[in-house]
Amino acid sequence: MTHDPVWQAAQHDHDSVITLTRDLVRLPSRGGIDPYGPALDHLEAWLTGRGLPARRLKGPSGEAVALVVEMHGAQPGPRYVLDACLDTAPFGDEAAWTHAPTSAASDGGWLYGRGAADSKAAVAVFSHIGVRLAAVRDRLRGSVVLLFDVDEHTGVFGGAKTYFRDAPPIAGVMIGYPGGDHVVVGGRGVLRARLHVHGVSSHSGGSRPTPNAIVKAAELVQKLRDAPLPGPAQAFPPLPKLTVTAISGGEGYSVVPDLCTVNVDVRLTPSLDDRAGETLVRECVRAVDRRWPDTAPTHVEITTRWPPYALADTDPMVRELVNAATRYGLAPSPKIAGPSNIGNYLAGLGIPATAGFGVDYEGLHATDERIRLASIPAVQAVYHRTLLGLLASR
């Protein structure tokens, strides 16, 4: 690899990638908690200062939700997107961290800090790849887009949705989630619902008891827990899953509650798609409602509907990523992830996406989130080489 220009570029950029990652980690950008402006401002200045003009995308309320850089080759061709989020998970118990969540401290070959793994290191890597590709755009066929979004860890995905909603045709998206053991080529889908369970209010000390919405909801929770789920689908190992994730209702002590809300999260696979998942939930609801004839029917509110997806091994992105990784001494295997991700949303738009190949990490979303610094150059080289392959002039 000594004479490979892509590998040489990654080695040359290594210190600069670490510096940018550290700068971004030091700017707190917890989803729904911190203002995103400082991180967006710093990255925009870095990109613009290196000849990559970035435009800001605005959300419905006029707030900035993403930075976008577009680079066009000399010849028309496919458009690929490198996507990494700038917002992060919360800190948790800061006192439990070995190094403060925004310290960006280096210790034993690891860089600590919230967002180092998910996904500020990817932002730094993709930014440097953008600089490298811009220098050879006259040899490229097609376009590369850098998408650095916020509002991801809130689950709203405001930046990504704003960009992809009106984007021109896209051949594929590579999302910089961390981890070098796999190229994530799919994931379980998700169906989320709020179940508004009704009872009849009355004084808790009254002589005539009325149907209690919380008791009815408890019965529904039990029914959902015991609901039978199908087995695995062919070539899609993760199993479907149904989980009650929240329950709320009632207030004070003296009122029998007439409303209780239950949140349900259903992880979908080809053997339990969104329609089958919704049918399952509604059947459980109807069975419990029949046992409570003196109450209003439970209202089922569907809040999220993302399909499961899986890319074929022959997909150009998957093929180029795996080949490039092999070239640089890595051996990631294609994997269908259990958790859903923005790739599921993109699948619903008909856009293929890989949702994970990146730096080595520990403590994702947990105490002492950190990345292994020595893993950065190979990740940069793999993505750089992948894009050169996908956009090679014919």
Side-chain angles (χ1 to χ4, degrees):
M1 293 189 291
T2 305
H3 302 295
D4 184 322
V6 170
W7 180 253
Q8 289 176 342
Q11 293 293 327
H12 180 274
D13 292 345
H14 190 201
D15 288 345
S16 179
V17 172
I18 293 172
T19 297
L20 181 55
T21 303
R22 183 174 284 122
D23 289 347
L24 294 173
V25 169
R26 286 172 175 161
L27 297 170
S29 54
R30 292 166 292 177
I33 299 174
D34 298 311
Y36 303 132
L40 290 166
D41 290 344
H42 185 87
L43 183 59
E44 183 176 17
W46 190 98
L47 293 164
T48 302
R50 287 156 181 80
L52 297 178
R55 62 184 175 94
R56 294 197 181 202
L57 297 184
K58 300 295 183 66
S61 302
E63 74 284 7
V65 292
L67 286 176
V68 176
V69 176
E70 297 188 355
M71 293 167 288
H72 305 289
Q75 303 175 47
R79 175 184 295 255
Y80 286 95
V81 178
L82 295 178
D83 177 24
C85 61
L86 264 176
D87 67 323
T88 74
F91 294 154
D93 181 4
E94 296 184 50
W97 286 66
T98 303
H99 303 284
T102 57
S103 66
S106 295
D107 186 350
W110 296 81
L111 189 153
Y112 285 71
R114 177 62 79 224
D118 186 9
S119 293
K120 292 181 176 181
V123 170
V125 167
F126 289 171
S127 296
H128 283 78
I129 292 173
V131 173
R132 294 290 178 177
L133 292 175
V136 297
R137 66 177 74 194
D138 60 320
R139 289 180 254 161
L140 301 181
R141 180 184 65 92
S143 304
V144 176
V145 178
L146 306 181
L147 173 63
F148 302 128
D149 54 311
V150 295
D151 212 16
E152 195 260 17
H153 284 83
T154 62
V156 176
F157 295 96
K161 288 180 178 178
T162 299
Y163 175 75
F164 290 111
R165 186 180 298 123
D166 300 315
I170 294 171
V173 179
M174 288 171 275
I175 305 168
Y177 292 137
D181 293 335
H182 303 284
V183 175
V184 177
V185 298
R188 287 189 297 194
V190 63
L191 177 80
R192 289 177 175 149
R194 293 191 188 99
L195 310 182
H196 303 280
V197 183
H198 298 282
V200 177
S201 64
S202 65
H203 195 293
S204 61
S207 59
R208 291 185 177 181
T210 58
N212 187 318
I214 291 178
V215 176
K216 180 181 175 184
E219 185 174 320
L220 178 56
V221 169
Q222 184 77 20
K223 186 74 174 177
L224 291 164
R225 190 199 70 171
D226 295 338
L229 299 174
Q234 186 175 9
F236 199 103
L239 293 169
K241 186 178 182 182
L242 187 155
T243 308
V244 173
T245 56
I247 184 167
S248 60
E251 54 185 333
Y253 290 93
S254 61
V255 178
V256 174
D258 60 357
L259 180 64
C260 185
T261 300
V262 177
N263 289 5
V264 180
D265 178 280
V266 185
R267 296 301 162 129
L268 307 172
T269 72
S271 64
L272 184 76
D273 62 14
D274 65 318
R275 290 186 179 182
E278 181 178 353
T279 297
L280 178 66
V281 170
R282 290 187 181 277
E283 286 177 349
C284 291
V285 165
R286 282 194 292 269
V288 172
D289 279 346
R290 284 194 293 268
R291 289 176 46 80
W292 293 72
D294 297 330
T295 62
T298 299
H299 172 61
V300 178
E301 176 192 2
I302 303 297
T303 61
T304 305
R305 194 189 295 267
W306 285 1
Y309 83 103
L311 302 182
D313 293 348
T314 55
D315 179 89
M317 287 189 305
V318 177
R319 185 181 64 246
E320 292 287 349
L321 274 168
V322 171
N323 288 345
T326 301
R327 178 171 183 154
Y328 297 114
L330 304 176
S333 57
K335 176 185 178 181
I336 298 172
S340 58
N341 53 68
I342 192 67
N344 296 88
Y345 167 73
L346 295 173
L349 300 178
I351 301 172
T354 60
F357 170 75
V359 295
D360 295 343
Y361 71 94
E362 292 182 1
L364 189 73
H365 289 197
T367 302
D368 285 342
E369 180 178 345
R370 56 198 180 274
I371 60 169
R372 190 169 66 86
L373 294 173
S375 68
I376 291 174
V379 171
Q380 177 174 333
V382 169
Y383 277 110
H384 189 175
R385 177 63 63 186
T386 295
L387 284 163
L388 290 177
L390 291 170
L391 302 176
S393 296
R394 297 293 190 265

